[in-house]
Amino acid sequence: MSDQQSSAASSKKISWYMLAFMAFSTVWGFGNVVNGFAYFNGTQVIFSWILMFALYFVPYALMVGELGSAFKNAGGGVTSWVLETTNPKLAYYAGFTYWVVHIPYIASKGSGGLKALAWMFLANTWYDSLSPFVVQMATGVVFVAFLFVASRGLSPLKALTTAAGSSMFVMSILFIIMMFAAPVINPQATYVPLDWSWKSLIPQFNIQYFTSLSILVFAVGGCEKISPYVNKVNNPGKDFPKGMIALAIMVMICAVLGTIALGMMFSGTDITGDNASSFIANGAYMAFQRLGEYYHVGNLFVILYGACNAIGQFSTLTLSIDAPLRMLLDDENARQFVPRGLLKQNKYGAYTNGILLVGVLSGSIILIQMLGTGAADIIAWLTKLNSVCMPMRYLWVFFAYIMLKKAGSKFKADYRFVKGKTAGVFWGGWCFVITAFCCIMGVYVEGDTLRTVLNFIMPFFLVSLGLIMPAIRAKEDEKLGVKPDKIL
């Protein structure tokens, strides 16, 4: 290779700090800070954030790095990792899980988008005063409209989602900076005095604490999205872990500083009792509204945040309908386990019957949410349900890592989290158990048996579909006299 070619190749490499910033904008968001603050009694969440980062997020991110490095030419992410380390049937289950956990997430996006529009135009909690029937009917109409949009295969939405996500990320950082500057700029405003005593910072380890941990796991997950960039780092063996450690530090700093900033705005009475659901649903908007009051700009910040969030919620709704479904059904290894009817595509390349199935499943959740007491309660319920369902896809990351380490030297990787097989299996098992524990505990809703039962039935039902589909496909193949590919 000539010096010129070497220089060109080097210029395409990613530095460790660039990787950290890329991952940061993918993993983190202001909503994570608000949810942690709401579920863990304000500033007491700082203790839990630090534990979660040290004992879960850092090893999780470094395991993703090794998987991405070992399978650098595999474009299917978690599904490809499971396929390489096990067999097509398990790879199908991994891909199916990644798709199906988006069903409750999709159901929450329409309501979240309407909430953002209400704050953008009215800058108050008027939306919460609507009956659950009205809220969910409006959500249903929006959902059906975006099912149609998804069926048209509109790719520009990806760029729109990226732009909205970037703007939300920027506003999250600006919120922290501006809130810490507010007492200097406007010392006459009313701020909540922070209690730094040991008692106020250490949480109570009760049933509510352990059933809320899924919120934190949900918040820090998703770093497997950066796996394609592992081998694009200058020196994967040294720079990738450096980037991931930098990512963990950045996220932890933002979580802690964001929590402190919220603690300067809201007291314990704002996030407990009857106010709990309202804060979970409206806390981010209330924070930006108060920030505007501190800076004497009225509702400017909440309008900007509402606009960014509305665009992000609706574009993410469309992409979440189409992208995970396409990842599952486009995969040649997964297709042999999927009923033939779901493989039907229209002229835009969209899987029409698959989108219809998403409509039925997510639509059912929208209907069930009519049992809520109001818009704020529905969003809080969906937040908890998502914290139970979405982390289930992370289980396959840790399973793939365990299988990778069990394979010994079969797979080569430029970067390794740990070299030993035993240590690798331990860390993979550790994160697998933590994730499973938090998902199971997150099902429980204190004082609400019906909601607890529904939170259990929903993920159980969704996952069971993955077991039924291969049986349906086998019957179809048998009826058609088609010999399926080798199934292990």
Side-chain angles (χ1 to χ4, degrees):
M1 181 183 291
S2 66
D3 292 341
Q4 187 175 1
Q5 289 175 317
S6 178
S7 177
S10 178
S11 65
K12 295 180 181 179
K13 292 288 187 177
I14 301 173
S15 62
W16 65 268
Y17 52 86
M18 183 62 68
L19 179 75
F21 279 112
M22 289 169 59
F24 183 51
S25 60
T26 300
V27 170
W28 198 245
F30 185 57
N32 297 327
V33 181
V34 173
N35 288 336
F37 191 85
Y39 278 96
F40 289 87
N41 197 27
T43 54
Q44 286 186 359
V45 74
I46 293 174
F47 174 86
S48 301
W49 276 131
I50 294 173
L51 278 185
M52 185 60 68
F53 291 131
L55 300 179
Y56 183 82
F57 182 63
V58 171
Y60 171 21
L62 296 179
M63 279 186 269
V64 165
E66 184 171 346
L67 284 163
S69 181
F71 307 114
K72 56 187 175 184
N73 296 319
V78 180
T79 306
S80 296
W81 300 341
V82 175
L83 176 64
E84 294 289 342
T85 56
T86 57
N87 58 63
K89 189 70 172 287
L90 288 177
Y92 153 75
Y93 287 131
F96 178 85
T97 303
Y98 185 89
W99 167 68
V100 84
V101 296
H102 280 80
I103 296 299
Y105 184 72
I106 290 168
S108 69
K109 292 291 104 176
S111 185
L114 291 174
K115 163 76 72 174
L117 288 177
W119 271 96
M120 177 184 171
F121 290 108
L122 301 174
N124 59 43
T125 58
W126 168 83
Y127 187 69
D128 293 353
S129 66
L130 300 176
S131 71
F133 178 80
V134 172
V135 169
Q136 293 308 89
M137 285 298 293
T139 300
V141 171
V142 169
F143 178 57
V144 171
F146 279 92
L147 283 174
F148 174 76
V149 172
S151 70
R152 314 305 283 182
L154 298 179
S155 58
L157 281 172
K158 185 173 183 180
L160 185 63
T161 306
T162 303
S166 299
S167 62
M168 290 284 286
F169 165 70
V170 170
M171 291 203 70
S172 300
I173 301 301
L174 284 177
F175 170 80
I176 295 173
I177 296 173
M178 296 183 73
M179 186 55 213
F180 277 96
V184 178
I185 294 173
N186 186 5
Q188 304 305 316
T190 302
Y191 304 99
V192 177
L194 293 170
D195 183 358
W196 292 108
S197 66
W198 186 256
K199 182 180 179 181
S200 68
L201 293 177
I202 300 301
Q204 295 181 0
F205 298 102
N206 50 26
I207 187 67
Q208 183 179 353
Y209 178 86
F210 289 106
T211 55
S212 298
L213 285 175
S214 59
I215 294 292
L216 302 187
V217 172
F218 179 35
V220 301
C223 64
E224 62 272 9
K225 294 176 183 177
I226 64 166
S227 61
Y229 302 102
V230 176
N231 291 288
K232 294 182 180 180
V233 180
N234 286 320
N235 185 343
K238 292 184 178 180
D239 286 354
F240 183 82
K242 191 186 297 184
M244 290 300 95
I245 291 171
L247 164 66
I249 293 172
M250 289 164 61
V251 170
M252 185 167 67
I253 288 174
C254 282
V256 172
L257 294 183
T259 299
I260 294 173
L262 288 176
M264 295 166 63
M265 288 181 164
F266 303 101
S267 64
T269 56
D270 294 319
I271 60 173
T272 55
D274 295 336
N275 295 325
S277 293
S278 179
F279 187 82
I280 293 168
N282 302 293
Y285 303 101
M286 293 163 61
F288 276 100
Q289 188 174 53
R290 291 195 183 184
L291 190 65
E293 294 171 359
Y294 295 151
Y295 281 83
H296 302 296
V297 293
N299 291 318
L300 175 63
F301 294 145
V302 75
I303 291 171
L304 290 175
Y305 182 80
C308 292
N309 202 15
I311 295 171
Q313 293 278 343
F314 289 136
S315 55
T316 300
L317 168 60
T318 309
L319 282 180
S320 295
I321 291 170
D322 181 68
L325 181 67
R326 194 179 295 275
M327 287 177 65
L328 173 66
L329 300 183
D330 279 351
D331 186 89
E332 290 299 326
N333 294 289
R335 290 169 69 91
Q336 62 179 310
F337 302 105
V338 176
R340 293 178 179 273
L342 293 180
L343 302 178
K344 180 182 176 181
Q345 292 178 277
N346 61 15
K347 63 180 180 180
Y348 302 104
Y351 290 97
T352 50
N353 288 339
I355 290 175
L356 182 61
L357 178 60
V358 171
V360 171
L361 295 174
S362 292
S364 299
I365 295 176
I366 291 172
L367 289 175
I368 291 172
Q369 298 300 314
M370 287 184 179
L371 296 172
T373 59
D377 179 59
I378 289 170
I379 290 178
W381 186 358
L382 284 168
T383 299
K384 196 71 188 305
L385 180 60
N386 277 313
S387 76
V388 172
C389 293
M390 288 294 275
M392 290 167 61
R393 59 186 172 145
Y394 312 151
L395 293 171
W396 287 104
V397 175
F398 307 128
F399 171 77
Y401 187 74
I402 291 170
M403 300 311 293
L404 172 66
K405 301 312 288 186
K406 282 190 171 183
S409 59
K410 180 180 178 181
F411 302 103
K412 304 295 182 183
D414 294 329
Y415 160 70
R416 292 193 181 277
F417 167 40
V418 290
K419 294 182 179 180
K421 180 188 297 187
T422 303
V425 171
F426 167 79
W427 281 110
W430 167 264
C431 288
F432 186 98
V433 170
I434 292 295
T435 306
F437 173 80
C438 291
C439 287
I440 293 169
M441 293 297 293
V443 167
Y444 179 72
V445 180
E446 190 172 6
D448 195 329
T449 303
L450 175 61
R451 198 162 295 190
T452 299
V453 171
L454 290 173
N455 284 353
F456 171 78
I457 291 175
M458 186 55 61
F460 180 81
F461 170 73
L462 292 176
V463 171
S464 68
L465 285 177
L467 302 175
I468 296 171
M469 285 188 178
I472 296 175
R473 176 58 183 268
K475 289 288 185 182
E476 291 176 342
D477 289 343
E478 183 181 353
K479 187 175 181 180
L480 293 171
V482 176
K483 186 178 180 181
D485 294 336
K486 184 180 179 182
I487 300 176
L488 302 178

